[in-house]
């Protein structure tokens, strides 16, 4: 007989919170009729200054099956929070989840840039990615390296050896779900190996809080500069070099506007 659900939630507090956040965002997206082009990450929108999409794309899911698959895998990977005795644990999980969200998104853009500029495959300019799979694949990879004897449980009945799970899942999703982002999943695996092998290391509470602060600042400034959201208390003016903005705080007002840029040629990609 398995453990009661509330006990498992207690053992996986960070995982439970992330699943709750992604589920609430999915409900909000469904209620407001928001689509891929509103929250997803693409090369074209990133070049237009929509850097905030690196964050929104990671936590957004459009279809219920996409959400269920990602959250089921994430729930199984929450065992990482209980492995403090092998150098993992809750703090490690939170610190490197933050890195996985940002670095996997940046790596996706870098791969798109290479494919577009070097190989002239313009198709990837408007491929729009959404979903938490980059992070899920990253944690699969970390767990397969740190605890190769573990199992990945999906939907409560499907069990995969974690040592093969990253690449098994990469091939499986690419075949079964044609819209699945091979590049997004591969980016998560690459960052996961970089973390597991110690190529990316040294995260602690100080660096995590500092990084979170910078993420919030860049998120707000990119929302403002891209014209997506009008923060009346904040004005960004160009100086001698237009690429280096200066920031000025103004008296706050009541008027706020929300704009969502859409593209007629958007190719959704599930990550």
């Amino acid at each position: 007989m398995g453990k009661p659900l509330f006990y498992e939630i207690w053992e996986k507090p960070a995982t439970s919170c992330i699943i709750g956040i992604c589920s609430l965002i999915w409900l909000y997206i469904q209620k407001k009729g928001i689509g891929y082009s509103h929250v997803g990450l693409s090369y074209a929108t990133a070049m237009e200054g929509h850097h905030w999409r690196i964050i929104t794309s990671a936590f957004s899911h459009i279809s219920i099956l996409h959400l269920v698959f990602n959250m089921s895998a994430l729930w199984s990977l929450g065992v990482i929070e209980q492995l403090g005795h092998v150098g993992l644990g809750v703090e490690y999980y939170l610190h490197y989840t933050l890195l996985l969200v940002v670095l996997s998104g940046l790596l996706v853009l870098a791969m798109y840039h290479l494919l577009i500029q070097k190989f002239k495959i313009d198709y990837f300019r408007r491929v729009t990615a959404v979903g938490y799979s980059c992070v899920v694949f990253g944690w699969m990879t970390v767990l397969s390296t740190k605890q190769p004897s573990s199992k990945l449980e999906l939907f409560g009945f499907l069990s995969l050896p974690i040592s093969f799970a990253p690449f098994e899942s990469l091939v499986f999703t690419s075949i079964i779900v044609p819209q699945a982002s091979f590049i997004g999943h591969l980016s998560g695996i690459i960052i996961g190996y970089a973390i597991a092998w110690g190529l990316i290391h040294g995260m602690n509470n100080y660096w995590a809080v500092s990084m979170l602060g910078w993420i919030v600042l860049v998120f707000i400034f990119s929302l403002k500069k891209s014209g997506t959201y009008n923060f009346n208390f904040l004005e960004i003016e160009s100086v001698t070099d237009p690429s280096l903005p200066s920031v000025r705080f103004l008296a706050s007002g009541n008027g706020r506007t929300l704009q969502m840029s859409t593209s007629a040629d958007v190719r959704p990609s599930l990550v």
Side-chain angles (χ1 to χ4, degrees), residues 164-184:
F164 301 110
F167 291 102
E168 281 180 347
S169 300
L170 180 67
V171 174
F172 176 78
T173 53
S174 297
I175 294 173
I176 302 301
V177 186
Q179 286 184 317
S181 174
F182 182 88
I183 290 177

Side-chain angles (χ1 to χ4, degrees), residues 80 82-89 146-147:
I80 291 168
Q82 305 166 32
L83 298 176
H85 60 284
V86 294
L88 302 178
K146 301 283 189 180
Q147 292 282 292

Side-chain angles (χ1 to χ4, degrees), residues 39-56:
V39 294
L41 177 67
S42 71
Y43 184 83
T45 54
M47 293 302 101
E48 293 169 2
H50 294 231
H51 305 124
W52 51 270
R53 290 173 180 266
I54 292 175
I55 305 301
T56 60

Side-chain angles (χ1 to χ4, degrees), residues 1-179:
M1 185 175 179
K3 298 177 183 177
L5 179 60
F6 73 88
Y7 185 75
E8 291 202 43
I9 292 173
W10 180 262
E11 288 186 326
K12 305 174 182 178
T15 301
S16 301
C17 287
I18 293 170
I19 291 174
I21 290 169
C22 288
S23 300
L24 288 174
I25 291 173
W26 177 81
L27 286 171
Y28 180 82
I29 284 173
Q30 298 305 308
K31 182 178 180 181
K32 297 295 183 180
I34 296 172
Y36 293 99
S37 61
H38 298 141
V39 294
L41 177 67
S42 71
Y43 184 83
T45 54
M47 293 302 101
E48 293 169 2
H50 294 231
H51 305 124
W52 51 270
R53 290 173 180 266
I54 292 175
I55 305 301
T56 60
S57 64
F59 293 94
S60 300
H61 298 79
I62 304 302
S63 75
I64 183 63
L65 289 178
H66 188 203
L67 175 72
V68 169
F69 183 85
N70 279 353
M71 297 303 103
S72 173
L74 184 64
W75 180 254
S76 180
L77 293 167
V79 69
I80 291 168
E81 296 186 62
Q82 305 166 32
L83 298 176
H85 60 284
V86 294
L88 302 178
V90 177
E91 282 192 7
Y92 182 95
Y93 183 82
L94 289 171
H95 294 165
Y96 288 96
T97 290
L98 192 62
L99 273 178
L100 278 166
V101 169
V102 176
L103 295 183
S104 61
L106 291 175
L107 185 56
V108 166
L109 292 176
M111 288 185 176
Y112 285 167
H113 180 80
L114 181 65
L115 290 166
I116 293 166
Q117 301 300 331
K118 182 70 174 177
F119 297 98
K120 308 302 180 184
I121 307 176
D122 206 56
Y123 165 82
F124 290 100
R125 189 176 298 277
R126 299 225 172 252
V127 170
T128 302
V130 292
Y132 202 72
S133 300
C134 286
V135 182
V136 169
F137 272 80
W139 280 124
M140 267 189 217
T141 306
V142 171
L143 191 60
S144 70
T145 305
K146 301 283 189 180
Q147 292 282 292
S149 61
S150 300
K151 297 281 187 180
L152 178 67
E153 305 288 339
L154 293 175
F155 310 114
F157 62 86
L158 181 62
S159 180
L160 297 175
I162 195 65
S163 55
F164 301 110
F167 291 102
E168 281 180 347
S169 300
L170 180 67
V171 174
F172 176 78
T173 53
S174 297
I175 294 173
I176 302 301
V177 186
Q179 286 184 317

